[in-house]
Amino acid sequence: LAEALRSNSLLKTLGLDENSITAEGGRAIAEALGDNSVLTTLDLFENDLGREGGRAFSEALRCNTTIIGLDLKFSEVDPDDYHAID
């Protein structure tokens, strides 16, 4: 999935809610956002990202200005990282 996101040139919205995505998967997706300038909305509601996954998204969004909607609710993200993203 992360590799597909890197080369994505069409997909603007991606819903991955309730997929049990762990910190490792979240990190891979977050890193892929650095190479993606098309995706605008990413739904990761109710996954298992945890503190590490949340931090990866917080860092990724410092470089990615295309994402305007990111849902990490109920994904075990540290409140500090969630607020940095929000």
Side-chain angles (χ1 to χ4, degrees):
L1 176 63
E3 285 305 312
L5 278 176
R6 288 185 201 287
S7 60
N8 171 50
S9 62
L10 297 173
L11 189 66
K12 292 185 178 191
T13 301
L14 180 59
L16 296 172
D17 53 309
E18 300 182 48
N19 272 283
S20 301
I21 297 171
T22 63
E24 181 180 357
R27 240 185 350 269
I29 293 168
E31 289 171 7
L33 292 179
D35 297 321
N36 186 301
S37 61
V38 178
L39 195 70
T40 59
T41 307
L42 179 58
D43 182 357
L44 289 164
F45 177 86
E46 204 167 327
N47 277 284
D48 301 317
L49 300 174
R51 170 175 253 159
E52 200 175 319
R55 187 161 293 132
F57 280 99
S58 179
E59 292 169 8
L61 291 182
R62 289 184 188 139
C63 301
N64 181 308
T65 58
T66 309
I67 295 285
I68 55 173
L70 175 63
D71 189 351
L72 298 176
K73 290 183 204 94
F74 302 108
S75 289
E76 303 175 19
V77 173
D78 183 275
D80 291 336
D81 291 318
Y82 188 80
H83 292 298
I85 293 168
D86 196 30

